[in-house]
Amino acid sequence: QVQLVESGGGLVQPGGSLRLSCAASGFTFSRYAMSWYRQAPGKQREWVAAISPAGITNYADSVKGRFTIARDNTKNTMHLQMTSLKPEDTAIYYCKTRRDASDYWGQGTQVTVSS
């Protein structure tokens, strides 16, 4: 079965950096687009970034120029490098894929940006 496991979250000061990872299993990772979403307290889950099987990337305006999404198809892993972090980036970050008309989510990893 499809399984997505995020890691790498934590507490960081404003202006700092974090690198999130998403380990995938149970499907042919290299054939599917992958995405990062986030959900801040009291807010709806929002899309952050996406990467196609070929490595084409897209970003939400709020993170463009600060976050970089990447994938390693040899290790079935996706990453989100986050720099210049702001307090408003505080959220639970989720990785997601879509397969056979169904969405699959990881359990999320908490990112807190605070001094």
Side-chain angles (χ1 to χ4, degrees), residues 4-62:
L4 301 171
V5 180
E6 301 93 337
S7 61
L11 172 64
V12 62
Q13 291 187 342
S17 300
L18 276 177
R19 185 179 187 238
L20 306 183
S21 298
C22 173
S25 61
F27 64 106
T28 307
F29 179 78
S30 62
R31 294 183 182 178
Y32 293 90
M34 299 291 298
S35 300
W36 285 99
Y37 283 74
R38 67 186 181 185
Q39 187 166 18
K43 295 188 177 181
Q44 289 190 329
R45 193 171 295 189
E46 65 173 358
W47 172 74
V48 174
I51 186 166
S52 74
I56 297 170
T57 59
N58 282 289
Y59 299 92
D61 287 344
S62 59

Side-chain angles (χ1 to χ4, degrees), residues 1-5 22-35 53 71 73 75-78 95-100 102-106:
Q1 69 279 18
V2 174
Q3 188 172 14
L4 301 171
V5 180
C22 173
S25 61
F27 64 106
T28 307
F29 179 78
S30 62
R31 294 183 182 178
Y32 293 90
M34 299 291 298
S35 300
R71 65 190 297 158
N73 289 339
K75 297 182 179 179
N76 290 356
T77 303
M78 176 178 65
C95 62
K96 192 207 88 170
T97 192
R98 185 171 180 84
R99 178 175 176 262
D100 296 334
S102 294
D103 289 334
Y104 296 88
W105 298 86

